[in-house]
Amino acid sequence: MYETIKYEVSGGIGYITINRPKAMNALNGQVLDEIYAACTEIEKDDAVKAVILTGEGKAFVAGADIAQMNQLDAVGGRALMIKGHKVMNYIEAIEKPFIAAVNGFALGGGCELAMACDIRVASEKAKFGQPEVNLGILPGFGGTQRLPRLVGKGMAKYLIMTADMINAEEALRIGLVEKVASPEDLIPTCEKIAQTIMSKAPIAIGIAKSTINNGYDLDMRAASTLEIEAFTSAFASEDKTEGMTAFLEKREAEFKNK
Ligand code: HXC
């Protein structure tokens, strides 16, 4: 069904693998459409409780497809950017954890895709960068906005203006990734994180994700109000009763996503 990605579900985890290794998994319109379509499946499918997003071969994603962009006029470029933003925003809106398993180059739109995920784990072989200024453009899938929110304005300007490529260790140091693993441990590390999250109350996890994403840019008073309402939703769940009862009965909670 998909031509440029692989999508499979196993053990409650949805695996999206971007699969254009000959083009370093560059994001063309079709790849973006297919990631979006997989996200639609993920959103609907109760069997999927977490997502791991990775790339086939030596790249995670080496950016938007330069060959395709080269053919586009400004209107076409704008449409591609809108499509990219829709994908990134959709990943942020789905109330399930998305983990980027950054196996190799995460450049331009690839770094932006990783940043739209909730948690980033980098292989020791990963390389990060926003090299758009080499091409006469700037980040266009959210990089000018998400990068400063993750690493601070100064470091974001440094990375975007110099187009410097950084390694996994530096990415960890500046807060662009949350963990680094050896190449062979990359997916197992992501699976362990996914399984840990999946053992918690799903409603609380989903609401926590949306509250962090939706509250981040609000002023503190509005953000506090958002948290109170979000908290109240989780407080009304059966999982809250189960979680607290299990604690008091000194047993493991059995959450039912209700
Ligand atoms: C299209 C790409 C590509 C890309 C690599 N390829 N990146 N094709 N778009 N973003 C293709 C190459 O043309 C080449 O095709 C093949 O993949 C292998 O790449 P090589 O360059 O030969 O490999 P290597 O020497 O190992 O270098 C890897 C690399 C380099 C460092 C990742 O390919 C690179 O710098 N890529 C471009 C990175 C970049 O500028 N990204 C930002 C794009 S702009 P052939 O046919 O020759 O084998 C962007 C903007 C987002 O992302 C928002 C705008 C809408």
Side-chain angles (χ1 to χ4, degrees), residues 21-24 26 58 62-67 69 77 80-81 105 107-110 112 131-132 135 137-141 165:
K22 286 191 185 139
M24 297 276 164
K58 79 175 195 185
D65 190 311
I66 299 168
M69 282 193 292
L80 182 69
M81 274 179 273
F105 293 110
L107 304 176
E112 293 168 307
E132 285 90 344
L135 303 167
I137 56 172
L138 59 137
F141 289 162
M165 234 193 261

Side-chain angles (χ1 to χ4, degrees), residues 2-258:
Y2 296 116
E3 291 171 355
T4 63
I5 67 166
K6 289 187 274 181
Y7 175 62
E8 57 201 18
V9 180
S10 168
I13 301 175
Y15 294 82
I16 300 176
T17 306
I18 298 159
N19 191 24
R20 296 183 72 210
K22 286 191 185 139
M24 297 276 164
N25 301 324
L27 301 174
N28 60 21
Q30 186 182 358
V31 183
L32 290 169
D33 284 341
E34 293 190 357
I35 298 173
Y36 194 91
C39 286
T40 312
E41 291 195 55
I42 287 160
E43 191 176 30
K44 280 193 295 214
D45 188 351
D46 287 342
V48 179
K49 312 221 179 303
V51 179
I52 294 177
L53 179 61
T54 194
E56 186 66 40
K58 79 175 195 185
F60 173 71
V61 166
D65 190 311
I66 299 168
Q68 183 175 61
M69 282 193 292
N70 194 36
Q71 304 297 318
L72 297 175
D73 61 11
V75 173
R78 185 168 184 272
L80 182 69
M81 274 179 273
I82 290 170
K83 198 187 277 254
H85 276 272
K86 276 190 180 161
V87 170
M88 313 297 160
N89 293 338
Y90 195 17
I91 289 172
E92 285 188 344
I94 295 174
E95 288 193 351
K96 298 181 183 185
F98 277 64
I99 302 169
V102 184
N103 52 304
F105 293 110
L107 304 176
C111 190
E112 293 168 307
L113 181 62
M115 288 192 285
C117 294
D118 301 303
I119 293 166
R120 285 149 293 282
V121 181
S123 150
E124 286 160 353
K125 287 189 177 165
K127 293 269 188 323
F128 297 81
Q130 296 288 161
E132 285 90 344
V133 293
N134 291 330
L135 303 167
I137 56 172
L138 59 137
F141 289 162
T144 61
Q145 305 307 311
R146 286 193 182 89
L147 190 57
R149 283 166 172 76
L150 272 177
V151 304
K153 249 195 228 180
M155 186 57 81
K157 285 178 184 165
Y158 173 82
L159 289 170
I160 290 171
M161 290 178 178
T162 64
D164 261 8
M165 234 193 261
I166 60 169
N167 63 21
E169 197 189 320
E170 178 69 354
L172 181 68
R173 192 188 71 77
I174 67 174
L176 183 52
V177 304
E178 282 67 56
K179 263 184 191 295
V180 177
S182 65
E184 47 295 346
D185 278 342
L186 178 65
I187 297 297
T189 301
C190 294
E191 285 170 337
K192 213 166 147 197
I193 296 169
Q195 280 149 7
T196 301
I197 297 172
M198 283 155 58
S199 72
K200 316 297 179 195
I203 290 173
I205 295 292
I207 298 176
K209 171 172 172 170
S210 73
T211 307
I212 293 167
N213 284 343
N214 295 327
Y216 197 83
D217 296 317
L218 299 179
D219 66 82
M220 197 56 200
R221 272 180 70 167
S224 299
T225 305
L226 179 73
E227 188 186 78
I228 290 165
E229 301 314 328
F231 187 92
T232 306
S233 303
F235 216 74
S237 68
E238 288 179 22
D239 283 351
K240 169 256 176 186
T241 309
E242 168 60 12
M244 295 195 183
T245 306
F247 175 82
L248 294 171
E249 291 176 357
K250 301 189 190 305
R251 61 170 174 83
E252 287 287 313
E254 280 182 45
F255 294 117
K256 299 216 165 57
N257 198 16
K258 280 190 178 155

